[in-house]
């Protein structure tokens, strides 16, 4: 059984990652970058590889002060919920007929239950969404997804929005479950995110695999 430390250390030895690290280190020194450097890999720290049940794929971190904490969609509890998070909580309420346990938007409790909250790009500059696109993070996170696909079974992947859905090609559909929907942002949530019932569907799939459901 692999650990995230082993998997990530293997990536760090690759030429692309050495170049990525050099670029990211420089950006942290010369501009304001989120999340804090010690939280870049927070998603892996809170969700051990052996506990993995669900992957929720995001794009890049929130680009406002104090918002990003190293998890996709999640914000610290003292920060007002961004619109996408508000819509996620609304869908949980409609789907499960109860409020989420994470009303403040801090999804750490999901992470500790086995939900990997993975952004495809792990850093961003203040006020500049997708500013670290094509620096190398996408190679790293694609490799993470492929590793999960190859070495795990019956993982539920929640892919919201076109960029996330495009990652379907990296996942072995004969071994895993893929649920897709429009992104929960206000621009697209009414096109099918609302009513997707991904949270109840995920728990049903986990139960069918003999795994404990997530307390959303």
């Amino acid at each position: 059984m692999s650990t995230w430390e082993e998997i990530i250390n293997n990536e760090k030895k690759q030429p692309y990652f050495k170049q990525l690290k050099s670029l990211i280190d420089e950006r942290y020194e010369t501009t304001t970058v989120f999340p804090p450097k010690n939280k870049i890999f927070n998603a892996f720290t809170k969700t051990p590889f052996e506990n993995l049940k669900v992957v929720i794929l995001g794009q890049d971190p929130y680009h406002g002060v104090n918002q990003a904490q190293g998890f996709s969609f999640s914000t610290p509890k003292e920060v007002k919920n961004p619109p996408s998070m508000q819509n996620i909580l609304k869908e949980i309420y409609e789907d499960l007929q109860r409020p989420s346990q994470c009303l403040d938007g801090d999804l750490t409790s999901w992470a500790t239950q086995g939900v990997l909250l993975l952004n495809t790009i792990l850093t961003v500059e203040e006020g500049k969404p997708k500013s670290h696109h094509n620096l190398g993070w996408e190679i790293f996170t694609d490799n993470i997804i492929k590793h999960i696909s190859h070495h795990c079974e019956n993982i539920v992947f929640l892919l919201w929005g076109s960029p996330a859905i495009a990652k379907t090609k990296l996942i072995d559909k004969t071994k895993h479950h893929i649920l897709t929907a429009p992104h929960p942002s206000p621009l697209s949530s009414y096109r099918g995110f609302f009513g997707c019932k991904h949270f109840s569907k995920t728990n049903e799939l986990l139960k069918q695999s003999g795994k404990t459901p997530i307390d959303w």
Side-chain angles (χ1 to χ4, degrees), residues 4 41-49 51-58 70-72 110-119 144-145 148 155-158:
W4 287 131
F41 297 106
N42 211 21
F44 303 101
T45 304
K46 300 296 184 183
T47 308
F49 188 77
N51 293 352
L52 185 62
K53 299 176 185 176
V54 180
V55 177
I56 299 181
L57 207 57
F71 299 137
S72 58
W110 293 8
T112 57
Q113 293 179 75
V115 181
L116 181 66
L117 297 159
L118 181 65
N119 281 316
I144 293 293
I145 293 166
I148 293 168
I155 302 297
V156 183
F157 289 84
L158 303 186

Side-chain angles (χ1 to χ4, degrees), residues 3 11 33 64-65 83 95 99 124 132-133 142 171 179 181 183 189 204 216:
T3 66
E11 292 299 315
V33 178
V65 176
D95 182 10
V124 70
H132 289 183
H133 174 53
D142 279 4
I171 303 163
L179 301 179
H183 195 275
S189 55
E204 192 56 43
W216 303 106

Side-chain angles (χ1 to χ4, degrees), residues 170-203:
L170 306 175
I171 303 163
D172 185 343
K173 292 177 278 296
T174 67
K175 293 172 61 182
H176 304 287
H177 311 283
I178 302 172
L179 301 179
T180 64
H183 195 275
S185 80
L187 297 174
S188 55
S189 55
Y190 286 94
R191 296 190 207 134
F193 178 77
F194 289 137
C196 70
K197 299 188 180 297
H198 278 188
F199 304 97
S200 60
K201 289 177 179 177
T202 294
N203 280 350

Side-chain angles (χ1 to χ4, degrees), residues 62 67 73 75 79-94 100 102-105 107 184-186 189-190 193-194 199:
Y62 294 118
Q67 289 182 310
F73 296 103
T75 53
V79 173
K80 180 183 177 184
N81 291 342
S84 292
M85 190 64 228
Q86 293 176 28
N87 288 339
I88 289 169
L89 296 176
K90 184 175 180 181
E91 174 59 22
I92 289 174
Y93 183 81
E94 294 295 329
S100 168
C102 302
L103 291 178
D104 54 26
L107 303 182
S185 80
S189 55
Y190 286 94
F193 178 77
F194 289 137
F199 304 97

